[in-house]
């Protein structure tokens, strides 16, 4: 049974399974599972079958959403952000409850563009009940605009883990009620103008003379449990629910990435007052 496999085996199998499934019906995958939202004209969201391009220019950004909400899963996208100068431009890949405002939950991966020669920052954040003050930032150790990389979010009843390729960069264990997302998520992606804050705290704005800015997404199959299907999304028969912890090698990779590339972590921000630090701060 899949649930009896070791976690490291499951982590290898799931991306390979996704690749097989997507290669079988790649041209129809986006339309099967996703729909354009915002910037829906052909100039801002371009579906090329094997990839989708979302475009930011002075008139509009763009985005897309999964048609279904999911109660657990191992969600992933292959992403290539705008190449070269991209200061002020934000590309987002995230999970969100609906409606996407007010008392909602959200798991964010936001790529914060930069000037030529400076690394792109990846900011992750977790919103619970509308409160999103759990930002962590890392400098990417590669150029995300030069080639595609895999960005993955494992979310099951035991933990939430964000991966870049196979490296964990954020780990939230389900240790206490109210400190872990439990409501169904939709999968979202977008590109937008973050001039007010994204690059050097908003000092560097989008240079519209360099527009348009384009982010490319691939792999639109979804390894997730549909929340509307009536199936128990916490079932141990679902392969991603068998991944209850990282392996020792993954913990080492996580700690190495955090120690070398972190530029901000809310856990160490002494200006913020927490009655009790969230449990993930013990991972550091």
């Amino acid at each position: 049974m899949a649930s009896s496999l070791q976690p490291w085996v499951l982590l290898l199998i799931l991306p390979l399974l996704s690749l097989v499934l997507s290669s079988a019906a790649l041209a129809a995958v986006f339309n099967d599972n996703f729909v354009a939202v915002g910037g829906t004209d052909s100039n801002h969201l371009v579906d090329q079958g094997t990839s989708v391009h979302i475009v930011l220019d002075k008139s509009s950004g763009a985005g897309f959403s999964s048609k279904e909400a999911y109660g657990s899963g191992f969600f992933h996208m292959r992403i290539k952000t705008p190449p070269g100068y991209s200061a002020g431009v934000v590309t987002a890949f995230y999970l969100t409850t609906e409606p996407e405002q007010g008392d909602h939950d959200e798991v964010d991966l936001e790529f914060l563009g930069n000037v030529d020669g400076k690394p792109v920052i990846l900011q992750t954040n977790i919103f619970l009940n509308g409160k999103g003050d759990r930002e962590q930032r890392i400098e990417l150790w590669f150029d995300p605009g030069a080639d595609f990389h895999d960005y993955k979010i494992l979310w099951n009843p035991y933990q939430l883990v964000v991966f870049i390729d196979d490296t964990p960069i954020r780990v939230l264990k389900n240790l206490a009620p109210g400190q872990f997302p439990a409501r169904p998520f939709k999968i979202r992606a977008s590109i937008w103008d973050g001039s007010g804050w994204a690059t050097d705290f908003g000092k560097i704005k989008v240079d519209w003379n360099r527009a348009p800015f384009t982010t490319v997404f691939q792999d639109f199959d979804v390894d997730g449990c549909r929340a509307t299907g009536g199936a128990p999304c916490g079932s141990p028969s679902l392969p991603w629910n068998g991944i209850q912890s990282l392996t020792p090698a993954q913990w080492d990779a996580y700690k190495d990435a955090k120690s070398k590339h972190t530029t901000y972590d809310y856990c160490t921000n002494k200006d913020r007052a927490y009655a009790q630090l969230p449990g993930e701060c013990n991972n550091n």
Side-chain angles (χ1 to χ4, degrees), residues 236-279:
S237 65
L238 297 171
W240 49 84
N241 288 340
I243 310 169
Q244 299 185 19
S245 63
L246 300 185
T247 66
Q250 288 170 336
W251 275 116
D252 289 343
Y254 165 80
K255 292 176 181 177
D256 184 64
K258 294 276 287 185
S259 66
K260 290 180 178 177
H261 304 291
T262 297
T263 63
Y264 174 80
D265 187 344
Y266 80 99
C267 293
T268 59
N269 186 344
K270 300 185 184 302
D271 294 330
R272 286 187 172 176
Y274 294 93
Q276 182 177 1
L277 277 177

Side-chain angles (χ1 to χ4, degrees), residues 165-201:
D165 295 319
D166 293 320
T167 301
I169 62 159
R170 185 153 191 173
V171 181
L172 176 65
K173 304 289 286 185
N174 187 2
L175 299 176
Q179 296 296 315
F180 190 83
R183 293 185 285 177
F185 280 131
K186 282 195 169 182
I187 307 163
R188 296 288 300 267
S190 60
I191 186 170
W192 46 282
D193 177 5
S195 291
W197 65 278
T199 306
D200 198 12
F201 301 98

Side-chain angles (χ1 to χ4, degrees), residues 223-234:
D223 293 318
C225 173
R226 292 184 179 183
T228 56
C233 289

